[in-house]
Amino acid sequence: MSSFVYMKVLESAPWRYDRGIRWLSGGHIEALWQRLAERAAGPGRRVLDIGCGTGGVALACAALGADVVGIDMNAEMLAVARSKTVAADAGGKVEWVELGAAEIEDRFAEACFDAVVSSLALSEMSPEGRRYALRVAWSRLRPGGLLVVADEVRPTDAAARLWQRTRRAPLVALTWLLTQTSTQVLDDLAGLVREAGFTQVRETRPWSSDLAIVEGVRPAEETS
Amino acid sequence: MKARALPGYLYDTLTRLFPHRTRTGLRAVGTPGPDAPVLVTGNYTLTVRRLTEHLAGFDCWLLVADSRGINVWCAAGGGHLTHHDVIAAIRTSGVAERVRHREVVLPQLGATGIERRAITEATGWATRWGPARLEDLPAFLARGSRIVKRWRFMRFPAWERFEMAAVWALPMTLVAGPVFGILGGRRVLAATLLQVWIVVPGLFLTVPHWPVRGRGRWVVFAGAAAAGFGLAWGVLALLGGVSGGHLILAAVASVAAVGVLAVDFAGTTPWYPSYVNSFRNTPAITLSEDRCTGAAECVQVCPRDVLAMEGRRRKVRVARPDDCIACGACIVQCPEDALHFRYPDGRVVEAATIRSTRLNMMGRRTVHVGPGGPAR
Ligand SMILES: C[S@@+](CC[C@H](N)C(=O)[O-])C[C@H]1O[C@@H](n2cnc3c(N)ncnc32)[C@H](O)[C@@H]1O
Ligand code: SF4
């Protein structure tokens, strides 16, 4: 899998995002969106997609019949998402809202979602922002609700880490030239999810050692 | 500044063209109490360093928002520092537990991306604009966080121009040094580096006296490249290294050095409108007078003193259109959407578009997001 830094370039030219991210992910992006949706969505389930971007995960959830809210703070990315249509037969729907992760509490009541998903967005936040987002996700989930997040992570073995660094370097430089920014690789995504209060935390890396999917459950019984 | 901080300071200054992330969150300057002012800034290392230094002797809070390691001006213009990031900073930093009041001072140069009203709506915190330049912060704080008109305006003083020159000459040296050293040997190396370190500062120091914005700039750039070549030739002659090959290398070096600067010389400061983002198609800032209610939010953020409030008529006036750098800050802040850009070809870009699009080398503000998806 190629590195995801370059997606910053894609975000600054959102109409190219989908084509670009498909290429960057070695063609796995749709499979990723689909896998997150299959875990989180289902007919009538309420799903929140944090950092929905051009809407990949949110639309995949709606296609499975879910009632989805996609939030993103980048209005241009949302404009692309809005231009897409929800598959009609499944009965799902999507609402797009320009909102930062730290503003979720302003719009949505506690315990109002069956699932929260987020793909490739946590790595773009500040460390406090990430923790806050996960805690808010926890509080907006109903007890027993499911969190499914995916992001670029540091591989566990040294050789893969070195390879990741080398591969990222030219992309980091190019991305910086075009957008003056870059994204970060997460060190311990599962740990962050646990820290936010989720239980039954599970991590999988289905395609490569640097892309992780982490799941967690808001416990049904209040333990703390 | 403490001597210990000097190496870090020099490093940050010379590499300031690159993003440098520093820790986000709340920081204390001095020993601030619950009534001390809260100053918002971005997490660009150099700015935080400079702020801490300029604010020595004051007690206040720095609320460092996530601007992705970019300075406030470029981050706000590029969509990397918006009200969403300020709201996130207020919420995630714990500032509410540290202060009794509910007000933040925003950096005025962030006005192209930070919508003040959205912050108050989401958090209940009041906002006010601080000065455009951080050197004026001590005086601003000494006046009880009240602005004086002249602190709203940018300057491009000689020391800053010199700094920008060094900031550009250094990477050129790092790239040109090995290339020309290997291709042409020591004498060519000496000639090209000397040329860079005279022509680049020369352009920056003399910039108030030549037409940065007009077509005339091409004459200046061509002249600078020629002068650089002449200089390099002189050095080669002194060192006894004039040959056809060496002269060609010297010519390439001088054209390359000036060429790199010519890409966006004006964009190195908020004093001029960046070439990259406006190209030859510079928009005119235009006011729909019938919509203007005299809120004058725009006047508070214009870094070039373009807009003036006519008190008696309770209307804003575009008083000095020629100084406008097309940053869009005024358009973003206007509560009535009374301002817009009008391009020479007749196109109009409205407030909603300015607010939702970002400026960088790939996303220009003239993009049009319409039915059927975005088009260029
Ligand atoms: C790389 S895109 C991923 C988009 C989509 N989820 C996907 O998988 O293709 C990351 C998105 O997260 C958004 N984002 C980053 N930080 C955010 C935050 N704090 N709040 C809301 N959105 C955020 C960005 O604006 C961007 O659109
Ligand atoms: S008048 Fe021009 S320079 Fe002043 S804020 Fe508006 S766009 Fe920027």
Side-chain angles (χ1 to χ4, degrees):
Chain A
M1 177 151 311
S2 197
S3 177
F4 284 96
V5 227
Y6 194 74
M7 74 193 174
K8 267 286 154 199
V9 175
L10 302 172
E11 279 171 42
S12 67
W15 54 93
R16 286 193 216 111
Y17 177 86
D18 287 354
R19 211 177 329 137
I21 197 84
R22 198 164 293 140
W23 172 74
L24 276 183
S25 64
H28 295 314
I29 195 70
E30 265 113 3
L32 174 67
W33 293 339
Q34 190 58 33
R35 182 168 302 219
L36 295 190
E38 277 160 14
R39 296 297 303 156
R45 277 168 69 84
R46 264 183 67 74
V47 180
L48 172 68
D49 182 359
I50 303 177
C52 63
T54 57
V57 186
L59 289 163
C61 290
L64 296 176
D67 176 3
V68 190
V69 182
I71 67 159
D72 202 292
M73 56 184 194
N74 183 335
E76 284 184 294
M77 294 286 278
L78 278 179
V80 175
R82 284 203 177 92
S83 71
K84 299 180 180 172
T85 45
V86 186
D89 45 349
K93 56 179 194 287
V94 195
E95 181 194 353
W96 308 108
V97 188
E98 184 190 326
L99 208 65
E103 297 149 60
I104 292 172
E105 63 203 63
D106 301 338
R107 289 289 289 261
F108 302 102
E110 285 194 17
C112 72
F113 289 106
D114 298 304
V116 174
V117 292
S118 185
S119 147
L120 304 174
L122 289 171
S123 57
E124 294 191 358
M125 301 177 192
S126 70
E128 312 87 83
R130 242 185 322 264
R131 275 193 210 100
Y132 195 89
L134 288 171
R135 276 204 310 275
V136 172
W138 188 94
S139 71
R140 305 300 114 167
L141 276 174
R142 64 166 170 74
L146 182 72
L147 172 86
V148 193
V149 292
D151 231 309
E152 190 179 10
V153 293
R154 214 169 283 300
T156 37
D157 74 292
R161 273 206 297 277
L162 185 68
W163 170 228
Q164 184 187 41
R165 285 231 173 87
T166 340
R167 226 175 16 172
R168 272 176 68 92
L171 279 173
V172 168
L174 179 64
T175 307
W176 176 78
L177 274 175
L178 295 166
T179 69
Q180 288 81 53
T181 190
S182 77
T183 62
Q184 291 157 329
V185 174
L186 294 179
D187 270 322
D188 184 14
L189 186 53
L192 279 173
V193 169
R194 241 176 246 120
E195 197 187 299
F198 291 93
T199 54
Q200 302 173 45
V201 175
R202 282 202 316 166
E203 179 181 309
T204 50
R205 302 190 181 191
W207 298 286
S208 71
S209 61
D210 57 4
L211 181 70
I213 300 179
V214 175
E215 282 184 25
V217 174
R218 172 175 173 171
E221 303 287 304
E222 299 294 275
T223 40
S224 55
Chain B
M1 186 184 9
K2 295 199 188 74
R4 209 157 26 91
L6 190 66
Y9 191 85
L10 276 180
Y11 174 78
D12 285 351
T13 304
L14 290 176
T15 56
R16 62 177 283 171
L17 295 180
F18 299 89
H20 276 196
R21 283 172 207 257
T22 181
R23 193 165 44 80
T24 49
L26 193 66
R27 304 186 188 201
V29 177
T31 48
D35 296 313
V38 177
L39 310 178
V40 173
T41 188
N43 70 332
Y44 180 53
T45 310
L46 185 60
T47 303
V48 173
R49 209 183 263 285
R50 283 189 169 166
L51 275 170
T52 324
E53 192 185 307
H54 278 271
L55 293 172
F58 286 86
D59 296 318
C60 59
W61 298 100
L62 275 189
L63 181 55
V64 183
D66 187 7
S67 64
R68 284 74 181 165
I70 306 169
N71 67 73
V72 166
W73 171 252
C74 297
H80 305 299
L81 177 63
T82 70
H83 40 284
H84 295 297
D85 301 301
V86 178
I87 294 168
I90 292 175
R91 291 247 165 89
T92 64
S93 65
V95 61
E97 283 94 65
R98 300 301 194 83
V99 298
R100 232 180 340 233
H101 64 81
R102 289 291 177 261
E103 184 184 80
V104 288
V105 176
L106 300 170
Q108 188 205 307
L109 290 186
T112 53
I114 303 172
E115 294 172 33
R116 277 175 71 183
R117 277 162 295 145
I119 298 174
T120 308
E121 268 165 36
T123 63
W125 285 58
T127 62
R128 69 171 74 196
W129 296 111
R133 298 184 58 97
L134 68 82
E135 301 98 276
D136 295 327
L137 266 175
F140 171 84
L141 290 179
R143 275 189 98 240
S145 299
R146 277 195 312 267
I147 201 95
V148 168
K149 192 175 162 200
R150 66 169 191 286
W151 295 339
R152 292 185 186 141
F153 309 135
M154 272 318 286
R155 305 186 282 274
F156 197 23
W159 67 264
E160 196 170 285
R161 282 184 270 133
F162 190 75
E163 196 182 277
M164 282 317 295
V167 156
W168 280 96
L170 188 83
M172 287 182 191
T173 305
L174 294 180
V175 174
V179 172
F180 290 95
I182 290 166
L183 290 179
R186 263 177 312 144
R187 284 173 297 198
V188 171
L189 178 69
T192 47
L193 291 191
L194 191 81
Q195 178 267 119
V196 162
W197 282 93
I198 288 184
V199 169
V200 174
L203 276 172
F204 275 99
L205 291 180
T206 56
V207 65
H209 308 291
W210 50 271
V212 183
R213 315 178 54 162
R215 278 167 207 277
R217 72 177 190 268
W218 294 113
V219 179
V220 176
F221 289 137
F229 175 62
L231 210 92
W233 190 331
V235 174
L236 284 174
L238 274 179
L239 300 176
V242 177
S243 74
H246 288 177
L247 286 180
I248 290 176
L249 285 176
V252 170
S254 48
V255 169
V258 175
V260 166
L261 281 184
V263 171
D264 200 10
F265 191 87
T268 57
T269 162
W271 184 253
Y272 301 113
S274 134
Y275 303 148
V276 168
N277 292 318
S278 53
F279 276 87
R280 275 152 294 162
N281 203 2
T282 310
I285 184 71
T286 315
L287 176 77
S288 306
E289 246 198 28
D290 50 322
R291 285 198 210 160
C292 178
T293 57
E297 296 276 336
C298 54
V299 179
Q300 294 180 41
V301 294
C302 177
R304 289 303 316 271
D305 196 11
V306 172
L307 306 164
M309 178 67 190
E310 298 202 318
R312 266 187 318 159
R313 287 178 61 229
R314 302 224 28 88
K315 294 271 180 202
V316 164
R317 186 167 56 91
V318 182
R320 277 166 292 276
D322 293 345
D323 287 340
C324 176
I325 56 167
C327 68
C330 54
I331 305 180
V332 169
Q333 301 303 327
C334 178
E336 308 295 334
D337 289 356
L339 287 153
H340 50 263
F341 281 139
R342 186 178 291 278
Y343 284 81
D345 62 7
R347 273 177 311 163
V348 168
V349 179
E350 293 284 354
T353 309
I354 301 290
R355 292 198 187 101
S356 62
T357 52
R358 33 212 62 209
L359 289 178
N360 55 46
M361 295 218 172
M362 298 204 60
R364 285 187 206 112
R365 216 160 25 195
T366 47
V367 294
H368 169 70
V369 181
R376 294 264 267 168

